[in-house]
Amino acid sequence: MILALRALGVGDLATAVPALRALRAAHPDRELALAAPAWLAPLVDLVGGVDRLVPAAGLAPLDRPDPPPDLAVNLHGRGPQSHRLLAAARPRRLLAFAHPDAGHVDGPDWRPDEHEVDRWCRLLAWYGIPADRADLALRRPPAGPVPAGVSIVHPGSKIPAKRWPPGRFAAVARALAGRGHRVVVTGSADERALAGRVARRAGLAPDAVLAGRTDLGGLAALVAHARLVVSGDTGVAHLATGYGTPSVVLFGPVPPGRWGPPPDRPWHRALWAGTPGGGPAGDWSPSAGVGTDPALAAIGVGEVLAAVAEAEQAVRVAGAVTA
């Protein structure tokens, strides 16, 4: 059995898809178990190739597998806590970034400024397992009860610094509705009040507020069959990448060079008003301040609407080429 650890959120799982697919391809006859939060189960099913979800609450101890895994793979972090968590499962071999403090001197060095997708592909490549960083597609669920062809405005984020001002999201939603888009506002149950404020200021009907009304599987279906996604740097943006849904993603404080969509896909537009490199990863943490990051606040409504037009034009061009 192979045990991979990625006990984080939606975007974190989405950026690990190429690495998980590479593990599946390298070991087609072994069970692949993923240690991740239980609530991610619908998305794990859409990744494909994962045989079993091992419920994980952050870096709390896991149920010790019996027999121990042949291989444990740290797709969670640099260590030492995540290394020790997997070592406690008594694997025959651990694939992870080098961290002498965790007793693991094997593996490549950690690079704080590389893209999250590339990070895990490079880790596996170091151990002789090739991974395709472009292999990001998720299985497309049926639309089911969720509306198809909508334009999604997602104003929330767990991290306050990543929240673009709600009044600007409302202005974007109003402009999109004026252009003929059927706009819905999404978010978690905790973000329903925020989504309601955005919808009211945009002049949208109450039923346009879907925050708190879709589970993760429903949100994935909504994005998979949407016309457009406009959001900050959060999980729904990675769902848009996984489904090839045109998107405009607003970045700050972390630059798109670390978490953005593939730059060779013009229907995904990443907006960033910070310095080119964004500074080292150690310059920022989720607890660094409570207001909107200045790089994010510097993005204007006009820029977002221009990026929407560019993304939709790219879709038309791509359709004409393949027609």
Side-chain angles (χ1 to χ4, degrees), residues 93-107:
R93 189 183 185 197
L94 172 64
L95 309 190
F97 285 100
H99 203 304
D101 290 347
H104 187 76
V105 296
D106 191 21

Side-chain angles (χ1 to χ4, degrees), residues 66-87:
D66 187 19
D70 297 310
L71 192 66
V73 187
N74 189 347
L75 300 177
H76 184 93
R78 65 185 300 177
Q81 296 96 330
S82 50
H83 286 31
R84 292 168 182 157
L85 178 66
L86 286 173

Side-chain angles (χ1 to χ4, degrees), residues 49-60:
V50 176
D51 298 303
R52 180 162 58 93
L53 176 64
V54 177
L59 294 178

